[in-house]
Amino acid sequence: MTTSVDKPLAGKTMIMSGGSRGIGLAIALRAAAEGANITLIAKTDTPNPKLPGTIHTAAAELEAAGGKVLAFVGDVRNDESVAAAVAQTIEKFGGIDIVVNNASAIDLSKTDAVAMKKYDLMQDINVRGTFLLSKLSIPSLRESAKAGRNPHILTLSPPLNLNPKWAGGHLAYTMAKYGMSLTTLGLAEELKGDGIGVNSLWPRTTIATAAVRNLLGGDAVVNASRTPDIYADAAYVVLTSPATEATGNFYIDDEVLAAAGVTDLEKYRAGDPTVDLVTDIFLDE
């Protein structure tokens, strides 16, 4: 007989911003494989030739993996949209146990080159979207904690590294990602008495996604990256850790896996094993 110890995410409900492709989808698939309920809030309703995958193809993959899915076509920048996604999740699945703040916009332009429209987009999706989804999920997460269901908020954002290199390199994007991380810092402190784990997770290396290929250096960078599976496996370790003990952390994926006894990371290579991996931004060498 399979027990909750064997599959700790079985029957748990995860709500995720984005998730139609890449890292978010990999994290959701890891949960779906154990029989989790998953709500995706994503705008990608129709295929994009540069970014394969829609909310509908993602939902089909998650259901095939063993999960139950609510595919909510919505915008994390819109209060009513996110509120409706949270309400429908609670109505369909009975509550919320896990929030994953995955949706993020990126533009690495220098300050004089970045369009204010893009600045606003990054602030609205990255910072405001993370704050909003977390905020609206708190009442249900508190109920999850009272029921002993080990609730977590996991935000895909970096450590708050105050090395001026990162702010000076791409100030608008750095402000937006650090805003996500400040949400982790603040909510972990605010909710520490509620039994809700609040953490951030960031990769040691670049991750082989369509966004990396299109925005960060093409096939050469993808070849020097790891696959989204390493992020998903590290997220799984965090989300199955005791929420009352694992909170307020800015985790790095390979450190999480090492602490869990996984030290051979070659299976996560996306390309040529002889190529040096590229360290992700916001992490000092």
Side-chain angles (χ1 to χ4, degrees), residues 62-86:
L62 294 172
E63 288 173 346
K68 295 179 180 177
V69 184
L70 171 60
F72 187 94
V73 179
D75 189 340
V76 295
R77 296 173 293 175
N78 182 284
D79 296 15
E80 291 74 20
S81 184
V82 178
V86 168

Side-chain angles (χ1 to χ4, degrees), residues 150-155 184 187-189 191-192 194-201 234-251 256 259:
N150 199 41
H152 282 268
I153 298 173
L154 182 64
T155 298
T184 292
L187 284 181
E189 180 69 15
L191 302 177
K192 65 183 181 181
D194 292 299
I196 301 168
V198 186
N199 299 284
S200 281
L201 178 65
Y236 177 85
V237 172
V238 175
L239 294 173
T240 56
S241 299
T244 53
E245 299 171 18
T247 191
N249 300 293
F250 293 95
Y251 291 116
V256 170

Side-chain angles (χ1 to χ4, degrees), residues 15 18 39 61 79 83-84 153 169 195 252 274:
I15 188 168
T39 294
E61 284 189 62
D79 296 15
I153 298 173
I252 306 299
T274 66

